[in-house]
């Protein structure tokens, strides 16, 4: 989240940084980011949807798991946790598109995405998603709504009256 104008800008917020196991390979294989986000909330059970024990082992190795605060990788992870992501994406954003397609547009509830300093802390959101036993269409909608609410809250905290959304994830 940036605040500024043509002459300058300042970064005022971002999603919580988490390991991206395998680097760019995680952008093609959504289960990698699902594993990273599940590990980030302390869940390491191989029976959990989207979790991979081998990938969990490399999450703590910075040379093969650089940190990311990418919204795209968050969408990939949630799609994998809900079981709608392919094992390997055919194109960038495939998992996000599939996640969006199942979201129930009538759902107005959202998962929490608290702001801690300059960080939108995804741990509360992923924990709520994991604990929720609702249909996947409701869980997908709660994720989308929570992400929108979190970014909106951060944007409103700036006092600015103008907001610009950019990037492929904002289309979702």
């Amino acid at each position: 989240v940036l605040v500024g104008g043509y002459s300058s800008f300042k970064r005022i917020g971002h999603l919580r940084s988490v390991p991206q196991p395998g680097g760019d390979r995680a952008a093609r294989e959504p289960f990698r980011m699902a594993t990273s986000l599940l590990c980030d909330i302390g869940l390491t059970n191989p029976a959990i949807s989207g979790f991979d024990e081998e990938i969990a082992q490399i999450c703590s190795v910075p040379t093969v798991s650089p940190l990311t605060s990418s919204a795209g990788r968050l969408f990939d992870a949630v799609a994998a946790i809900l079981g709608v992501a392919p094992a390997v994406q055919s194109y960038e954003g495939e998992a996000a598109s599939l996640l969006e397609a199942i979201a129930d547009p009538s759902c107005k509830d959202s998962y929490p995405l608290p702001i801690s300093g300059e960080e939108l802390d995804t741990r509360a959101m992923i924990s709520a998603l994991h604990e929720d036993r609702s249909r996947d269409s409701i869980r997908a909608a709660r994720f989308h709504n929570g992400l929108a609410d979190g970014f909106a809250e951060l944007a409103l905290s700036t006092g600015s009256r103008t907001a610009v959304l950019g990037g492929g994830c904002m289309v979702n």
Side-chain angles (χ1 to χ4, degrees), residues 156-168:
L156 289 169
S157 74
T158 69
S160 179
R161 296 185 58 185
T162 304
V164 177
L165 306 178

Side-chain angles (χ1 to χ4, degrees), residues 93-106:
E94 181 179 12
S97 295
L98 295 168
L99 182 64
E100 180 185 17
I102 69 161
D104 183 338
S106 69

